[in-house]
Amino acid sequence: ISTTSGLSESGVLHPLQRAFLDTFATQCGFCTPGMLMAAKVLLDHTPNPSRDEVVEALSGNICRCTGYEPIIQAVLTAARSNSQNAA
Ligand code: FES
């Protein structure tokens, strides 16, 4: 079982965690672990997802705070970051 505790390595935030902070995608934080892990599964299988693919991947998680857009932007930001680091 993978959890958010296993995302960061040696105290360095995972690109998704960094992007969630940078885009203010976390407010109360209740949905954040589920959003992060759903996004991680998406990026593991689809490293460069479309916006629609991100929306679909996160659709099983409910957020009462953000209106979803910051979370979607965080996932797209992390995907861009990953592709830039891989180049
Ligand atoms: Fe509060 Fe998503 S940040 S439920």
Side-chain angles (χ1 to χ4, degrees), residues 25-32 35 62-66 71:
T26 296
Q27 290 185 23
C28 80
F30 184 80
C31 71
T32 305
M35 292 290 188
I62 296 171
C63 178
R64 63 184 179 185
C65 303
T66 66
I71 296 171

Side-chain angles (χ1 to χ4, degrees), residues 3-56:
T3 70
T4 53
S5 298
L7 282 181
S8 61
E9 294 177 19
S10 304
V12 177
L13 294 178
H14 185 279
L16 277 166
Q17 292 171 310
R18 179 83 261 152
F20 268 62
L21 290 175
D22 290 346
T23 63
F24 304 101
T26 296
Q27 290 185 23
C28 80
F30 184 80
C31 71
T32 305
M35 292 290 188
L36 282 168
M37 297 315 292
K40 182 177 186 316
V41 170
L42 170 67
L43 296 186
D44 285 350
H45 293 92
T46 309
N48 204 1
S50 68
R51 186 181 191 286
D52 286 347
E53 289 172 320
V54 172
V55 170
E56 174 63 25

